[in-house]
Amino acid sequence: YQAGGFNTVYVDLGRGAQADNAALELARAAAHREMWVIVGLNAIDALGPNRLPLDAADARGVALDWLSHTVQAWRDVPNVIAWALQNDTEERIQWSWSSFAPWLAHVYPKAADLAKAWGVPVVGDYGALTPEIVAGVDARRPGMMGTASLDLGQWQRDCVLDLQDSWINAIHST
């Protein structure tokens, strides 16, 4: 790394005990060469190959425990200058559609507001609104993109930010 002009090494954790131990050895070797280390905390990968279900408190708790334990274990590595959260979070989670309706109700307190924004009649509660219905609402629009799809994307963004905020809090509290 140094021969290439780099002064920092990035190591990924969460790929299994053997890989994490190798990352620790790399971090120690970097310290001997007076290089910095950024530690990638892949909490979802640490749980295994499956997606993290957003509505499963036990799985989220295991991820938080892994983060706390890992940060604690790496706390005394002198050349660690930063923690990096998993950068592909949205690709590794299982969406919980049950939280979409309450999110919509918060954004559009009245069904008439949602109907106006999406340009379609809305009858009943928001619980019947699924990603398939959102796609159908916007299917006739240019590029198949409209307010319904943007709302779905905003909800997904909020879910990811909520998850990452819980990870950040776990890191800071360790």
Side-chain angles (χ1 to χ4, degrees), residues 43-65:
I44 297 174
D45 290 346
L47 300 177
N50 297 326
R51 293 177 179 265
L52 174 67
L54 284 179
D55 59 350
D58 56 337
R60 287 182 71 156
V62 170
L64 290 172
D65 289 346

Side-chain angles (χ1 to χ4, degrees), residues 5 13 16 20 23 29-30 32 34 43 51 61 66 81 94 102 105 108 124-125 152 165 167 172:
L13 301 181
D20 290 355
H32 290 295
E34 298 182 356
R51 293 177 179 265
W66 180 86
I81 59 168
Q94 180 180 330
Y108 302 104
D125 69 33
L152 180 63
D165 283 346
W167 291 350
H172 285 287

Side-chain angles (χ1 to χ4, degrees), residues 66-86:
W66 180 86
L67 280 167
S68 296
H69 172 77
T70 301
V71 169
Q72 185 66 35
W74 279 71
R75 179 174 297 276
D76 294 329
V77 178
N79 53 329
V80 172
I81 59 168
W83 306 106
L85 295 176
Q86 189 151 352

Side-chain angles (χ1 to χ4, degrees), residues 70-150:
T70 301
V71 169
Q72 185 66 35
W74 279 71
R75 179 174 297 276
D76 294 329
V77 178
N79 53 329
V80 172
I81 59 168
W83 306 106
L85 295 176
Q86 189 151 352
N87 67 355
D88 62 348
T89 304
E90 68 283 352
E91 296 173 15
R92 297 293 322 275
I93 58 177
Q94 180 180 330
W95 300 105
S96 170
W97 301 115
S98 62
S99 68
F100 185 50
W103 184 90
L104 279 174
H106 175 74
V107 175
Y108 302 104
K110 297 178 184 173
D113 297 334
L114 179 61
K116 181 178 178 184
W118 286 15
V120 296
V122 176
V123 180
D125 69 33
Y126 296 170
L129 299 175
T130 64
E132 293 78 17
I133 290 174
V134 170
V137 167
D138 286 340
R140 58 185 163 81
R141 301 193 192 299
M144 298 191 316
M145 181 63 71
T147 304
S149 295
L150 294 174

Side-chain angles (χ1 to χ4, degrees), residues 1 6-15 19-20 22-28 30 35-43 45 66 74 79-89:
Y1 288 99
F6 296 101
N7 68 350
T8 306
V9 175
Y10 179 89
V11 296
D12 259 333
L13 301 181
R15 311 276 190 224
D20 290 355
L24 182 57
E25 290 306 314
L26 179 60
R28 288 181 179 146
M35 296 179 70
W36 302 112
V37 173
I38 298 172
V39 179
L41 299 168
N42 297 305
D45 290 346
W66 180 86
W74 279 71
N79 53 329
V80 172
I81 59 168
W83 306 106
L85 295 176
Q86 189 151 352
N87 67 355
D88 62 348
T89 304

